Amino acid sequence: MSLRLRFTVAMLVCGLVPVLGAGALARATLIQRFERDDNQRREAAAARVERVLAERSTSRRRALERFCAHDYLVDRTLLQLEANRFDEGARAELTSLLPEVRDALGLDVLSLVRGDGTVLASAHYPGLAGSRDVETFALASHAPPSGRWVRAVRVRAPSGPVDRLVVESACVRRRGGHAVAVAGGEALDARWLDGLAGDEGVRARLVIGPTADAGRLERAIPLRGPRGDVVASVVVSSTDRGLRDLVAALDALTLSAALVAALVAVGLALVLALTLTRSLAALAAAADRVARGEKGGALTVRGGGEIARVAAAFNRMTSELAAAEKGLRRAERLAAWRDIARQMAHEIKNPLTPIQMAIEMLQKAKARALPDFDEMFDEESRIVLSEVARLRRLVEDFSRFARLPRPRPEPVDVPEVVAHVVELHAARAAAPTWRVEGDTRAQDLPTVKADRDQLTQVLVNLVANACDAAEERAEERPAEGPPRVEVRVSYAPGGRMRVAVDDNGGGIPEEVRARLFEPYVTHKRGGTGLGLAIAYRIVTEHNGSLTWEALSPGTRFVVEVPLSGPSVTVLSTVEA
């Protein structure tokens, strides 16, 4: 993230946090106050509902008691029962008159039940006359303390008989040895709920059956059945529409204020960034150039004070860094060549000892005129020639390592190079094979920008080493199977080409693993120790990597080079 962008973000945060914080605090306070007032309003509405229910129950019970005590229908019915003159005609007359009484009392259901449970008449369902209803008389005789209960009552409807929940009360009138229960009530419907809540913004609804816990904006008032169980509930709830409207208005105001604050903050940030961060941006760009390896050029900034002092210090630092880098590179070069010279001297001493011993042996044999001098001369001459050949290979590898030219990148078809290297070793016992990993075909792989000759030299060294290791293991332990070398080419993630060389040789000894890619480090018989060092240097100068891993059995060497080739920094370092 650039300095200007961070500066702008900081100004935005400084401008938006107070506005949004104040808006959030006002929003929380508004919600808290509204909920407190809403709770009070809802509790008042619930208390009103309970009061209205109690008043309605009391009024209904008193109306029924007056009906029981003074109405001529009840008196005449008791007299007819006492005189045993309550016949079908009396039942029909009572059934026809009872709906008028029900409507006068403001009830939905009204029935008269004899003491033995026989329904004398029913205003809400005339067809029940003459049927048995023991429960109604029992409830009238042993009413709950509240004087009301809720139960399902069958009523006649245009579509046929249906069961409706009714808030019911009852009374009993006795005369002589007869008793008549009068039961009446109101159906639990929308008309019954009208006016219960009373307060605007608060409403009442009916929930059939036991209710779960009421919600945050609700209060449940239970309606119990004849046995005290909750048959239904009146749920008093309040709407939060007013709160939502207020919160929406406050949110809109907060967002508008935040937008204004953001515009002001961005404007100030742009002005300050143009005046204050231009020099810092130039300094950052110069530091980035130094990080990429560009040491030349002095930094020039406008203004004075701390910025000018920082620029002057930066220019001193870059000049000192360039001088120090030159000295360090010279010192590293001298140290590297000193180490190589020491290793070279050690490697030259090794063949000189058997050469010297062979010549001294020949001198002694000639001085003593030994009879087998000719045979000894041939054997010692072979030793001398072998060691001289080894010295020649050592000098040639060293010359190649010392004169390794800078890479000359060109588009290279890696599968073609691999096929060529494999063909060079086709006559060996460990004749290598090669393939492209995955579903990609060889001709579909992208080309690599690299030095073809140097890349070929790397693969030749790796394949030759793999064949030597596999054949040496096969000679020493033939029971473990024939020698095998496999080369695999693939496209690696990140725009890199990957070549893996596997063998089933004896592996790399523990004592040389840490220094495997250093010059003159080898575990091969007759090896100079420069092949892997040259390969490692070539791959590194191509901005790639050369790694290895142990297999069971054998070893795997992996070369990865970028498709884009060596970077400018690498090429300039090689040239230097």
Side-chain angles (χ1 to χ4, degrees), residues 484-500:
R484 177 179 52 80
V485 175
E486 184 182 20
V487 184
R488 291 175 289 112
V489 185
S490 62
Y491 176 73
R496 300 170 73 85
M497 189 66 72
R498 184 177 188 270
V499 181

Side-chain angles (χ1 to χ4, degrees), residues 27 64 90 131 159 179 187 340 378 423 536:
R27 193 176 193 272
L64 289 175
S131 63
S159 59
I340 292 175
D378 292 339
E423 186 178 356
Y536 185 81

Side-chain angles (χ1 to χ4, degrees), residues 51 128 262 438 546:
R51 185 176 66 256
L128 292 178
L546 174 58

Side-chain angles (χ1 to χ4, degrees), residues 358-371:
I359 293 176
E360 290 176 352
M361 183 74 69
L362 290 176
Q363 288 176 342
K364 290 179 181 178
K366 183 178 180 182
R368 295 176 183 175
L370 295 177

Side-chain angles (χ1 to χ4, degrees), residues 412-415 418 436 440 442 444-449 455 488-500 539 544-545 558-564:
V412 176
D413 187 346
V414 175
V418 170
V436 177
T440 308
D444 294 335
L445 286 174
T447 59
V448 175
K449 195 174 182 181
L455 187 60
R488 291 175 289 112
V489 185
S490 62
Y491 176 73
R496 300 170 73 85
M497 189 66 72
R498 184 177 188 270
V499 181
V539 174
S545 63
V558 179
V559 177
E560 283 194 11
V561 290
L563 301 180
S564 57

Side-chain angles (χ1 to χ4, degrees), residues 270-348:
L270 291 177
V271 172
L272 293 176
L274 290 175
T275 56
L276 297 179
T277 64
R278 184 177 300 166
S279 299
L280 295 178
L283 179 62
D288 187 57
R289 290 195 300 271
V290 172
R292 293 197 304 266
E294 302 176 17
K295 305 299 189 297
L299 175 63
T300 303
V301 298
R302 298 178 181 178
E306 289 80 3
I307 298 296
R309 288 197 293 271
V310 170
F314 181 82
N315 291 332
R316 289 195 302 271
M317 179 198 70
T318 53
S319 60
E320 293 172 0
L321 181 62
E325 186 175 358
K326 290 181 180 178
L328 178 62
R329 189 179 302 169
R330 187 180 303 109
E332 288 178 348
R333 208 179 282 123
L334 290 175
W337 281 111
R338 188 182 299 115
D339 185 62
I340 292 175
R342 184 165 52 251
Q343 293 285 352
M344 186 70 176
H346 176 74
E347 293 296 329
I348 291 176

Side-chain angles (χ1 to χ4, degrees), residues 140-470:
S141 302
H142 306 285
S146 63
R148 69 174 185 271
W149 56 86
V150 177
R151 66 168 179 162
V153 175
R154 178 155 296 187
V155 299
R156 188 176 61 181
S159 59
V162 294
D163 291 336
R164 288 184 178 177
L165 282 180
V166 174
V167 181
E168 194 175 42
S169 298
C171 61
V172 178
R173 176 77 182 278
R174 302 177 187 275
R175 182 183 179 88
H178 299 276
V180 173
V182 179
E186 299 174 85
L188 300 182
D189 52 18
R191 183 175 56 82
W192 180 81
L193 288 172
D194 286 345
L196 279 181
D199 191 7
E200 183 179 357
V202 179
R203 64 186 183 89
R205 60 186 175 89
L206 184 68
V207 178
I208 306 302
T211 58
D213 293 337
R216 181 177 61 88
L217 303 176
E218 295 180 336
R219 164 77 183 281
I221 301 171
L223 300 177
R224 301 186 180 278
R227 298 175 181 82
D229 55 325
V230 178
V231 177
S233 296
V234 177
V235 177
V236 179
S237 60
S238 58
T239 177
D240 57 353
R241 181 178 301 173
L243 174 62
R244 290 199 303 268
D245 294 341
L246 289 175
V247 170
L250 180 60
D251 290 344
L253 180 62
T254 302
L255 290 178
S256 300
L259 180 60
V260 173
L263 293 176
V264 172
V266 170
L268 289 176
L270 291 177
V271 172
L272 293 176
L274 290 175
T275 56
L276 297 179
T277 64
R278 184 177 300 166
S279 299
L280 295 178
L283 179 62
D288 187 57
R289 290 195 300 271
V290 172
R292 293 197 304 266
E294 302 176 17
K295 305 299 189 297
L299 175 63
T300 303
V301 298
R302 298 178 181 178
E306 289 80 3
I307 298 296
R309 288 197 293 271
V310 170
F314 181 82
N315 291 332
R316 289 195 302 271
M317 179 198 70
T318 53
S319 60
E320 293 172 0
L321 181 62
E325 186 175 358
K326 290 181 180 178
L328 178 62
R329 189 179 302 169
R330 187 180 303 109
E332 288 178 348
R333 208 179 282 123
L334 290 175
W337 281 111
R338 188 182 299 115
D339 185 62
I340 292 175
R342 184 165 52 251
Q343 293 285 352
M344 186 70 176
H346 176 74
E347 293 296 329
I348 291 176
K349 283 182 182 179
N350 290 335
L352 289 179
T353 300
I355 291 175
Q356 180 182 357
M357 292 178 63
I359 293 176
E360 290 176 352
M361 183 74 69
L362 290 176
Q363 288 176 342
K364 290 179 181 178
K366 183 178 180 182
R368 295 176 183 175
L370 295 177
D372 56 347
F373 177 78
D374 292 339
E375 181 181 352
M376 183 180 298
F377 180 82
D378 292 339
E379 182 178 353
E380 297 301 327
S381 297
R382 283 194 301 272
I383 294 175
V384 172
L385 292 175
S386 174
E387 295 300 324
V388 169
R390 181 181 172 193
L391 278 174
R392 183 179 294 110
R393 290 196 307 273
L394 183 65
V395 172
E396 289 175 354
D397 287 344
F398 177 76
S399 177
R400 190 183 304 113
F401 179 76
R403 295 198 309 270
L404 191 65
R406 60 171 288 187
R408 300 184 182 278
E410 61 177 327
V412 176
D413 187 346
V414 175
E416 181 185 348
V417 174
V418 170
H420 171 68
V421 172
V422 169
E423 186 178 356
L424 292 177
H425 298 81
R428 301 192 59 165
T433 60
W434 76 281
R435 63 184 175 90
V436 177
E437 289 186 317
D439 299 331
T440 308
R441 296 177 299 177
Q443 57 268 30
D444 294 335
L445 286 174
T447 59
V448 175
K449 195 174 182 181
D451 189 308
R452 182 186 182 88
D453 294 337
Q454 291 186 3
L455 187 60
T456 302
Q457 184 178 357
V458 170
L459 296 179
V460 166
N461 285 341
L462 295 180
V463 173
N465 287 346
C467 292
D468 292 341

Side-chain angles (χ1 to χ4, degrees), residues 59-102:
S59 175
R60 186 188 315 113
R61 188 173 63 253
R62 289 176 178 174
L64 289 175
E65 288 175 351
R66 287 194 298 271
F67 179 73
C68 287
H70 307 292
D71 194 88
Y72 81 98
L73 284 179
V74 178
D75 291 339
R76 190 178 68 176
T77 301
L78 284 171
L79 289 173
Q80 289 173 343
L81 291 174
E82 188 176 9
N84 198 19
R85 286 187 290 110
F86 190 82
D87 51 13
E88 290 299 325
R91 178 178 289 112
E93 183 182 6
L94 181 61
T95 300
S96 64
L97 295 176
L98 200 59
E100 296 179 4
V101 178
R102 177 198 62 190

